[in-house]
Amino acid sequence: MPIAASFSSPRSYTLLSVAAALATIALKTAAWRLTGSVGLLSDALESGVNLVAALAAFWALTLAAKPADRTHHYGHFKAEYFSSGLESVLIVVAALAIIYAAIGRLQQPAPLEQVGIGLALSLVATALNGVVAWVLLRAARRFDSITLRADAHHLLTDVWTSFGVVVGVALVKITGFTMLDPLIAIAVALNIVVTGWKLLHETASGLLDRALPEEDHAQLEALLASHESEQIRFHALRTRVAGSRRFVAFHVLVPGAWSVQAGHDLCEQLEQQIAAALPRTHVLTHLEPIEDPKSWDDQGFRWEEG
């Protein structure tokens, strides 16, 4: 089977993430066991989070790909947020476990062993994560997937923290300052907590029906403005994002004397142009007579108060 066909959906990329997580867990666990470094242990624990997150992403993207049904008229796209939410929680749990282990090592410092082999294994795992993160970021842009983007950013964080751990463990070996090892582990934990918090914030925004990004909103408004005239007006513009899908709704005001066909043709043209300008966008229009006062009663509906 061609490679392009094998990776034709966001879900297929999560399997790559699962394979990478399994490989890095094995490499980093071996590095920890060889050296006894709590810093490398923290790195291995984060790779464990990567594995659980990749499995959750596979489940979420499988559910998100399901078509709309009688109980989910707008589809299952928001399932992606469950994956990113779980990943953010797991990141925080892993950070707490790392801090707990590091505090124990601060109280009972221990020398490191076989540092050279351990660091080599850790660097191989770091390089693997870097390659997979790059592939996932490209896929996230291609499919506009928050799940793949979250997984990629988490792996990139893992790359930088792993590099920091390697440098720190090397310094411990050079200087003999064993207290540096648990201090590095705590720094890693605090860093991934920040990553988890950012991811949790993005997840919450999506579940609360966040509007389109400002640049997309500006593009949408410019497109509608290009069609406005004395006979054509628009209002009650509303947008929201659900996973990789976008939803746009607005009212189209035209002369009441227009035929149904003429009004329909205009709405159809607008919907097609918006869908072309903003991929994966579902557009809903509502036609109203421009001279009817009732048509203007809801013009403030865009930002409803109360």
Side-chain angles (χ1 to χ4, degrees), residues 68-182:
D69 54 35
R70 291 180 61 86
T71 56
H72 301 88
H73 294 177
Y74 287 92
H76 302 78
F77 307 116
K78 281 192 175 182
E80 290 199 49
Y81 295 116
F82 289 101
S83 172
S84 59
L86 174 61
E87 185 168 354
S88 62
V89 172
L90 289 174
I91 288 174
V92 174
V93 171
L96 294 176
I98 292 169
I99 292 173
Y100 178 79
I103 291 175
R105 182 57 60 89
L106 281 172
Q107 295 171 343
Q108 296 180 335
L112 304 183
E113 300 177 358
Q114 302 187 66
V115 173
I117 299 176
L119 292 185
L121 291 173
S122 182
L123 285 174
V124 170
T126 300
L128 178 59
N129 274 339
V131 172
V132 174
W134 177 76
V135 172
L136 292 181
L137 276 177
R138 288 174 59 89
R141 287 191 290 267
R142 174 185 171 191
F143 295 106
D144 197 16
S145 169
I146 184 178
T147 300
L148 292 181
R149 187 165 63 252
D151 206 6
H153 283 303
H154 187 192
L155 286 178
L156 283 176
T157 300
D158 196 5
V159 168
W160 288 110
T161 54
S162 296
F163 183 75
V165 167
V166 167
V167 172
V169 172
L171 288 175
V172 171
K173 183 63 176 179
I174 294 171
T175 64
F177 183 50
T178 56
M179 297 288 283
L180 184 60
D181 181 37

Side-chain angles (χ1 to χ4, degrees), residues 262-278:
H264 169 76
D265 289 345
L266 174 62
C267 290
E268 188 74 16
Q269 179 186 5
L270 291 168
E271 291 170 8
Q272 291 180 0
Q273 288 182 356
I274 292 172
L278 301 174

Side-chain angles (χ1 to χ4, degrees), residues 21-22 33-34 51 66 177 184 242 279:
L22 289 171
R33 294 299 296 270
L34 285 169
L51 175 60
K66 292 178 61 177
F177 183 50
I184 291 170

